[in-house]
Amino acid sequence: MMTKIPGILLAAPSSGSGKTIAACGLMAAFRQMGKNIRACKCGPDYIDPMFHEQVLKIPSKNLDTFFTNEEQTKRRFLSGRTESEIAVLEGVMGLYDGLGGVRKEGSSYHLAEVTDTPVILVVDAKGMGKSILALIAGFLSYDEKKLIKGVLLNRMSKSYYQILKPLIEQELKIRVVG
């Protein structure tokens, strides 16, 4: 049985949605609260982990379910970790985009499944109104393991957020976390 490390995986519908800035902001906030944080990046990425390291002052770990099998990925995720830490994982591309953009292996979703980590969906909401509900609903309907536990709306004004947040939560039964 796998030790449970508390944490979240920040994923998105696509690249450029704000995963890195959300991950770094969350890491910094947890650190200011005195929490012990560990950062991970989905895939063989070297740029985003450098941003993580700037925030935490410790190396970020790459996890990739294509280059390592599920058991190796779990071991790598747990290596040197304790239950007192919060793991902040940053996804790659879109949530379901794995090898070649179509396979499960290498996707953020597969990593969340393997590490038993809940997903916060970071959605770039610029230029969207109620249509954002259809986008989120599509991601939720595709979530076989029910790993998506919340939504973070990026690039949205505070006043518009206050209008859309209750609509999303009421209609889709998903928590909007920011």
Side-chain angles (χ1 to χ4, degrees):
M1 177 149 209
M2 186 170 136
T3 303
K4 179 67 174 157
I5 301 292
I8 59 168
L9 186 143
L10 295 164
S14 66
S15 293
S17 297
K19 294 182 299 284
T20 303
I21 194 75
C24 289
L26 188 60
M27 287 178 217
F30 281 149
R31 190 171 184 98
Q32 286 179 349
M33 294 166 54
K35 304 291 184 188
N36 192 7
I37 309 301
R38 292 295 174 173
C40 298
K41 173 65 180 175
C42 179
D45 189 321
Y46 65 94
I47 296 173
D48 293 342
M50 288 191 301
F51 290 122
H52 301 169
E53 188 170 350
Q54 285 296 310
V55 172
L56 296 176
K57 307 301 182 218
I58 57 171
S60 181
K61 192 174 282 192
N62 288 84
L63 301 172
D64 192 307
T65 59
F66 172 72
F67 289 112
T68 57
N69 66 37
E70 291 183 6
E71 285 306 313
Q72 291 169 323
T73 301
K74 286 179 195 177
R75 280 195 304 276
R76 184 160 169 71
F77 175 63
L78 294 171
S79 174
R81 302 254 161 82
T82 67
E83 291 179 21
S84 67
E85 294 175 325
I86 299 173
V88 178
L89 289 73
E90 181 185 343
V92 63
M93 296 174 59
L95 177 60
Y96 302 108
D97 303 334
L99 185 63
V102 294
R103 291 201 19 214
K104 178 180 176 177
E105 296 82 8
S107 72
S108 302
Y109 191 81
H110 192 214
L111 181 60
E113 184 179 33
V114 167
T115 60
D116 192 26
T117 305
V119 173
I120 300 295
L121 189 66
V122 179
V123 179
D124 183 351
K126 185 176 191 255
M128 295 183 80
K130 195 171 180 182
S131 294
I132 201 165
L133 277 83
L135 176 80
I136 296 166
F139 274 81
L140 293 172
S141 70
Y142 209 74
D143 181 5
E144 294 174 358
K145 304 285 183 175
K146 305 301 178 217
L147 297 174
I148 303 172
K149 302 298 182 189
V151 177
L152 191 151
L153 303 175
N154 191 26
R155 299 196 325 151
M156 175 176 277
S157 70
K158 182 178 179 181
S159 60
Y160 208 44
Y161 171 82
Q162 292 172 338
I163 293 168
L164 285 179
K165 179 184 190 289
L167 287 175
I168 294 167
E169 291 182 339
Q170 288 172 334
E171 290 187 33
L172 301 180
K173 309 296 185 234
I174 187 81
R175 186 163 180 227
V176 179
V177 298

